[in-house]
Amino acid sequence: MPHTEIQCRVRALDHLVLTVKSIPDTVRFYTQVLGMRGEQFEVADGSRRWALLYGQSKINLHQKGREFEPRAAHAHPGTADLCFLTDAPIDAWMTHLATHQIDIEDGPVERSGAIGPIMSLYLRDPDDNLIEVSVPQV
């Protein structure tokens, strides 16, 4: 039987984990400001955890000091830099963020996204993670 080489490569991001100071504050920000869905889920050991769902991905949340194993070697609030794509126009986001009293740190500014040019706004979440909200310019 001939040997067939399989290409080992990732194809998508399923989830990432954020270590946060306050799960309720984080869930409130990401649901009210970014339109994600907060959801508790049960894991194999019966414990319940929080996640933020959007598109086909999710962000699992770990409370600082009560992280689940395995975990990042140096998990700390405020160490992430995340870019999220949106279909809403940048002007609508500027109005929406002002309504929620969220400061825009930078933007609108042109950037290079994974598949082409994007127009971005930068803001901070409750843990001071840098959040980039971007509209593809394709």
Side-chain angles (χ1 to χ4, degrees):
M1 172 183 283
H3 173 68
T4 305
E5 187 172 329
I6 298 173
Q7 288 189 349
C8 294
R9 62 179 176 221
V10 297
R11 66 174 175 80
L13 177 67
D14 179 77
H15 72 278
L16 60 88
V17 176
L18 281 182
T19 301
V20 301
K21 291 181 271 187
S22 167
I23 288 178
D25 289 349
T26 299
V27 169
R28 188 175 314 107
F29 174 86
Y30 281 84
T31 57
Q32 293 178 4
V33 177
L34 297 182
M36 294 182 185
R37 192 174 84 245
E39 182 177 283
Q40 275 195 305
F41 64 100
E42 189 172 316
V43 295
D45 68 4
S47 64
R48 298 193 56 76
R49 301 181 188 178
W50 276 96
L52 300 162
L53 292 93
Y54 62 100
Q56 296 179 346
S57 298
K58 71 175 182 166
I59 300 171
N60 288 340
L61 301 177
H62 286 190
Q63 181 78 40
K64 177 66 180 159
R66 292 188 272 161
E67 297 89 351
F68 301 103
E69 295 291 341
R71 64 183 179 94
H74 305 286
H76 294 285
T79 58
D81 183 339
L82 306 170
C83 178
F84 298 105
L85 297 177
T86 180
D87 293 324
I90 285 291
D91 289 345
W93 274 99
M94 293 172 71
T95 301
H96 175 74
L97 294 170
T99 300
H100 287 279
Q101 300 177 342
I102 304 295
D103 292 331
I104 295 171
E105 191 160 308
D106 194 15
V109 61
E110 292 181 17
R111 295 291 190 235
S112 296
I115 60 170
I118 54 178
M119 184 65 67
S120 299
L121 295 174
Y122 291 87
L123 53 132
R124 300 277 175 178
D125 76 1
D127 290 297
D128 283 335
N129 291 304
L130 184 62
I131 305 299
E132 183 178 355
V133 176
S134 302
V135 179
Q137 301 294 292
V138 184

